[in-house]
Amino acid sequence: MNTTLITGTSRGIGKKMCKFLLEKNHKIISISRSELDFSHKNLHHIRKDITDTSIKNDINEIIKTHNLNNCILNAGVYKNAFLHKMSYEDWSSTINLNICSLYNILHPVINHMRENKKGNIIFISSVVGNIGIMGASNYASSKSSLLGLTKSLVLENSSKNILINSISPGYIDEGMGNEITEDLKKNILNNIPLKKFGDSNDINELIYFLIEKNKYITGSNIHINGGLF
């Protein structure tokens, strides 16, 4: 049975991802700031903010008894404002959660995977990190950073047979996709060539391929965006 760690599982695409992989007979190590409203015999949940450096200790305890095969870094926060009106707190808290906190997960996970000489790491980036959007300079900065991080970690860890990729979803009818106004949704749909929002299953099926079937794709950023570039 594959063991997969997923962050940001209490809602949105992370929650759907967690349930999807449980149905595929994965053991899930789930991390989120909130309690989950579902349970499963193969689900172990850690309620903690990943900006808390003590999460490294929790992960190290888990890998003493579990062979961690996959790590999906999905947790993220979106705080909307033009930069000249944005508070420093909204800027720094977004960057801190979306990029800086990844060290707390990646440090123990990569060490574990290097010892095992095998593993999959997937970052959930965003279309916003690729094309930008007004009022989201903090979020766009944090998500575009994942693309450089992906490529750097590939250079550092490919010799240990660790595959590392990022996925950039477009606008999905889950989570943050539900946090924008109806007027903005209409404007976005006008710019999407497929003229519809994506479904979380589009992401889940790709993740399943990357962690179950993929042998050679690494260092890639894969777009699921309906043609929005």
Side-chain angles (χ1 to χ4, degrees):
M1 178 183 291
N2 269 337
T3 299
T4 300
L5 184 152
I6 311 175
T7 66
T9 51
S10 62
R11 66 189 184 102
I13 63 174
K15 179 179 177 180
K16 292 289 185 72
M17 192 185 302
C18 186
K19 289 184 170 183
F20 178 87
L21 290 176
L22 285 168
E23 291 174 0
K24 296 292 186 181
N25 202 34
H26 278 234
K27 182 174 180 62
I28 301 296
I29 309 300
S30 152
I31 304 175
S32 67
R33 289 185 288 187
S34 305
E35 287 293 351
L36 304 183
D37 60 4
F38 62 98
S39 60
H40 192 280
K41 64 179 181 179
N42 292 327
L43 172 64
H44 175 77
H45 181 62
I46 301 170
R47 183 182 180 184
K48 187 170 285 188
D49 192 320
I50 62 172
T51 62
D52 185 339
T53 57
S54 71
I55 194 67
K56 290 172 63 180
N57 299 328
D58 295 290
I59 295 172
N60 279 322
E61 284 300 312
I62 286 167
I63 60 182
K64 286 179 181 178
T65 55
H66 294 81
N67 181 27
L68 188 61
N69 308 101
N70 313 295
C71 178
I72 304 170
L73 294 150
N74 167 72
V77 64
Y78 178 89
K79 295 185 178 180
N80 187 22
F82 279 33
L83 181 63
H84 66 281
K85 297 180 179 179
M86 186 184 298
S87 68
Y88 179 74
E89 170 60 27
D90 282 353
W91 171 271
S92 60
S93 62
T94 300
I95 300 295
N96 193 32
L97 177 61
N98 291 2
I99 188 70
C100 296
S101 67
L102 298 183
Y103 175 86
N104 300 331
I105 308 294
L106 289 169
H107 191 270
V109 165
I110 288 178
N111 274 295
H112 175 69
M113 289 180 174
R114 286 178 66 88
E115 288 177 7
N116 289 343
K117 297 182 179 177
K118 186 176 183 182
N120 270 287
I121 297 172
I122 299 172
F123 296 102
I124 305 300
S125 183
S126 170
V127 65
V128 174
N130 290 271
I131 66 172
I133 186 174
M134 290 190 299
S137 57
N138 50 357
Y139 184 74
S141 298
S142 67
K143 289 301 184 179
S144 61
S145 295
L146 296 178
L147 310 184
L149 178 59
T150 297
K151 294 185 181 300
S152 295
L153 292 179
V154 164
L155 296 176
E156 294 176 2
N157 296 287
S158 289
S159 64
K160 299 297 183 181
N161 197 33
I162 302 171
L163 302 176
I164 304 169
N165 293 288
S166 60
I167 297 173
S168 287
Y171 290 91
I172 306 295
D173 280 327
E174 297 289 342
M176 293 178 186
N178 290 327
E179 295 178 9
I180 55 179
T181 66
E182 287 302 316
D183 285 343
L184 182 55
K185 280 186 179 182
K186 290 177 183 177
N187 289 335
I188 291 168
L189 282 170
N190 285 334
N191 291 318
I192 299 174
L194 284 182
K195 302 302 179 189
K196 63 180 180 179
F197 285 175
D199 184 271
S200 58
N201 254 356
D202 299 328
I203 301 170
N204 294 338
E205 293 289 353
L206 174 58
I207 286 172
Y208 187 71
F209 168 78
L210 289 174
I211 62 181
E212 291 282 355
K213 306 291 184 182
N214 176 42
K215 305 294 183 186
Y216 202 60
I217 300 170
T218 194
S220 294
N221 177 48
I222 305 172
H223 299 275
I224 307 180
N225 62 15
L228 179 62
F229 290 102

